[in-house]
């Protein structure tokens, strides 16, 4: 798995995750936020290395990071 992008909150990441899932791309979300200060860490979105280019193109088309 490789890092595709990062988002400030889990809901932001889940919206993009849903779009990628509709295109057949599986993602893993890694929440680095502190429960007391949600914007401290962010949420990393990981994809399989083989899906990276396709996922990157989709994000660029949708301006999602």
């Amino acid at each position: 798995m490789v890092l595709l992008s990062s988002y400030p909150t889990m809901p932001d990441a889940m919206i993009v995750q849903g779009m990628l899932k509709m295109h057949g791309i599986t993602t893993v979300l890694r929440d680095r936020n502190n429960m007391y200060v949600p914007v401290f860490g962010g949420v990393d979105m990981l994809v399989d290395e083989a899906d990276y280019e396709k996922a990157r193109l989709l994000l660029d088309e949708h301006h999602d990071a």
Side-chain angles (χ1 to χ4, degrees):
M1 300 296 273
V2 295
L3 179 64
L4 176 65
S5 57
S6 295
Y7 300 89
T9 66
M10 186 59 76
D12 293 329
M14 291 176 74
I15 291 169
V16 177
Q17 183 182 43
M19 182 272 294
L20 291 174
K21 184 176 182 178
M22 286 177 30
H23 288 89
I25 298 173
T26 300
T27 62
V28 172
L29 299 179
R30 179 174 55 200
D31 190 351
R32 296 180 296 115
N33 284 321
N34 177 310
M35 71 184 243
Y36 301 107
V37 186
V39 296
F40 238 35
V43 179
D44 292 337
M45 181 172 292
L46 307 169
V47 297
D48 189 278
E49 196 168 351
D51 291 328
Y52 180 84
E53 288 301 321
K54 180 180 177 184
R56 186 79 254 155
L57 288 172
L58 287 166
L59 290 185
D60 290 346
E61 285 177 12
H62 291 88
H63 309 290
D64 286 322

